[in-house]
Amino acid sequence: MTVNRVGLVVHGGRAEAVAAARAVRAWCAEHAVGCADIDVWQEGARHSALEEVEAAGDPDLIVTLGGDGTFLRGARLAAEHDALVLGVDLGRLGFLTEVPVPDVRAALDAVRDGRITVERRMLLTMRASCRLEVPAQMEALVKYGRGPMLPPPRVRTECEAGNEWGVALNVTALNDVVVEKLTRDRQVSVGVYLAGRLLASYSADALLVATPTGSTAYSFAAGGPVVSPRTEGLIFTPVAPHMVFNRSVVAAPDEPIALRVLERSGQAAVSIDGQLRGVLSPGDWIGVYAAPRPLKAVRLGPTDFYGRLRERMNLTDAPAALADGEAAPLWPVTTPPPGDLAHLALPLAPTSADGPGHS
């Protein structure tokens, strides 16, 4: 494929990320490809995805150099411009990044030559009963506790009025949208609606809606299911609810999940992919639903999601399972499986208009 311009999102606090960024810039110079750093921190103040992408000259490939947090920032930029995103792995528990640092130049060669697949990951977007805002008195606390925050999301002007429900916000989330309590001594009370029907009213520390990609993030820590990123669906998970029913619910992609802050609840914070974006008061609500366009992530070969799950989560075999026999065999995803397990192998991704091997 043609790569005309690359945007770099670099974890500046890690020396290996800075060194890898130099390798990317050198590759771009050798191949007459434009390259721009996207300074998402902007000297302590976060800017919108549109501002960041425009400042970088509308790249058609975003390269992230860091862990999953850096990848999430790059994904937000790529989704804004419908660009490809390639994650270079420098993290400790990465499920999103693809390429080890030593292979970054080879990865860029593969992108240029079209020797890649494009993995489409479902994204979330939102509607709300009002514009999201962060009270001024919270800014100092958030800056001290979490670092610089993103500004409240813009309203999609083409959807602000008319027959559509609520206010459409210019938001994309790759992992999750979270409504959580603001103070330690008071839970948030929220009515949860799936596909327009009330599921239940919860009193909890937080309530979240995750993508399959985000199922291994906050939702997993809260006891939610692990879901293959190849699927599509919205995963609702309550966090420390004061009720017997504490299970996750997985909804279809066309079944929005709405969260309404109840009358006697305290205020609730809204976080998108871990970044505070606004505060809701009693009576306010948000609706979370599948975004119309997916994220397009660069993959250089078969994605071994379950092997990565076993490795990242340090899964071990149950002693009872091994007491009277041998451990189950492992085989790399890049090699043919044993003959007696060949029927379990995933089929090859179908070709599409995007080019050979794209899915």
Side-chain angles (χ1 to χ4, degrees):
M1 63 169 290
T2 302
V3 179
N4 295 315
R5 192 165 183 84
V6 170
L8 279 178
V9 180
V10 183
H11 190 311
R14 304 192 63 174
E16 59 266 48
V18 175
R22 288 196 292 267
V24 174
R25 294 188 197 100
W27 183 91
C28 289
E30 293 168 12
H31 295 87
V33 172
C35 184
D37 283 84
I38 304 175
D39 182 11
V40 297
W41 295 109
Q42 298 290 342
E43 298 180 352
R46 293 295 293 268
H47 287 213
S48 72
L50 180 61
E51 291 170 329
E52 292 164 356
V53 171
E54 289 179 345
D58 293 337
D60 46 18
L61 173 67
I62 304 289
V63 178
T64 72
L65 302 162
D68 279 359
T70 307
F71 186 89
L72 286 171
R73 293 196 290 272
R76 183 169 60 90
L77 304 174
E80 182 77 30
H81 193 60
D82 199 29
L84 297 178
V85 59
L86 171 67
V88 179
D89 185 17
L90 292 101
R92 295 183 297 273
L93 191 66
F95 276 93
L96 302 177
T97 48
E98 168 77 359
V99 180
V101 170
D103 298 340
V104 63
R105 290 181 64 94
L108 292 170
D109 287 337
V111 174
R112 182 196 58 183
D113 298 339
R115 294 181 284 108
I116 62 170
T117 59
V118 177
E119 183 179 81
R120 286 164 168 76
R121 296 284 186 100
M122 176 182 169
L123 297 168
L124 301 176
T125 189
M126 290 172 53
R127 288 181 177 270
S129 57
C130 58
R131 295 173 181 263
L132 289 185
E133 296 181 350
V134 178
Q137 64 269 24
M138 286 190 62
E139 293 187 9
L141 176 63
V142 171
K143 184 174 182 179
Y144 175 79
R146 300 188 184 181
M149 66 181 177
L150 286 168
R154 306 187 316 276
V155 171
R156 295 187 191 274
T157 55
E158 71 276 13
C159 303
E160 188 171 3
N163 296 324
E164 298 287 350
W165 51 278
V167 176
L169 302 179
N170 193 18
V171 164
T172 53
L174 178 58
N175 269 351
D176 47 45
V177 175
V178 180
V179 172
E180 57 189 325
K181 66 181 184 180
L182 281 177
T183 60
R184 185 177 181 182
D185 62 347
R186 187 170 187 180
Q187 290 192 312
V188 64
S189 296
V190 175
V192 177
Y193 299 78
L194 275 74
R197 304 291 292 181
L198 178 67
L199 174 68
S201 295
Y202 289 78
S203 180
D205 284 357
L207 303 115
L208 63 89
V209 181
T211 64
T213 297
S215 71
T216 53
Y218 191 4
S219 179
F220 176 85
V226 174
V227 180
S228 168
R230 294 164 57 94
T231 65
E232 291 190 351
L234 283 71
I235 305 159
F236 163 72
T237 300
V239 181
H242 275 210
M243 59 190 299
V244 174
F245 185 74
N246 61 355
R247 303 303 179 90
S248 297
V249 178
V250 181
D254 60 351
E255 295 178 328
I257 298 179
L259 308 173
R260 184 185 185 93
V261 182
L262 300 180
E263 179 183 358
R264 297 185 181 277
S265 173
Q267 287 186 307
V270 178
S271 296
I272 300 166
D273 282 348
Q275 295 285 344
L276 177 67
R277 302 299 294 273
V279 172
L280 300 178
S281 296
D284 293 337
W285 57 262
I286 62 171
V288 183
Y289 57 102
R293 292 190 308 197
L295 179 72
K296 298 190 297 187
V298 172
R299 293 292 181 249
L300 304 182
T303 301
D304 186 12
F305 171 73
Y306 301 107
R308 184 170 291 188
L309 177 69
R310 178 181 175 89
E311 174 189 341
R312 294 294 196 268
M313 297 300 178
N314 292 318
L315 300 184
T316 57
D317 303 313
L322 306 180
D324 299 316
E326 297 181 356
L330 300 174
W331 71 88
V333 71
T334 54
T335 62
D340 59 338
L341 297 177
H343 64 291
L344 299 178
L346 288 173
L348 295 176
T351 58
S352 71
D354 293 322
H358 290 224
S359 61

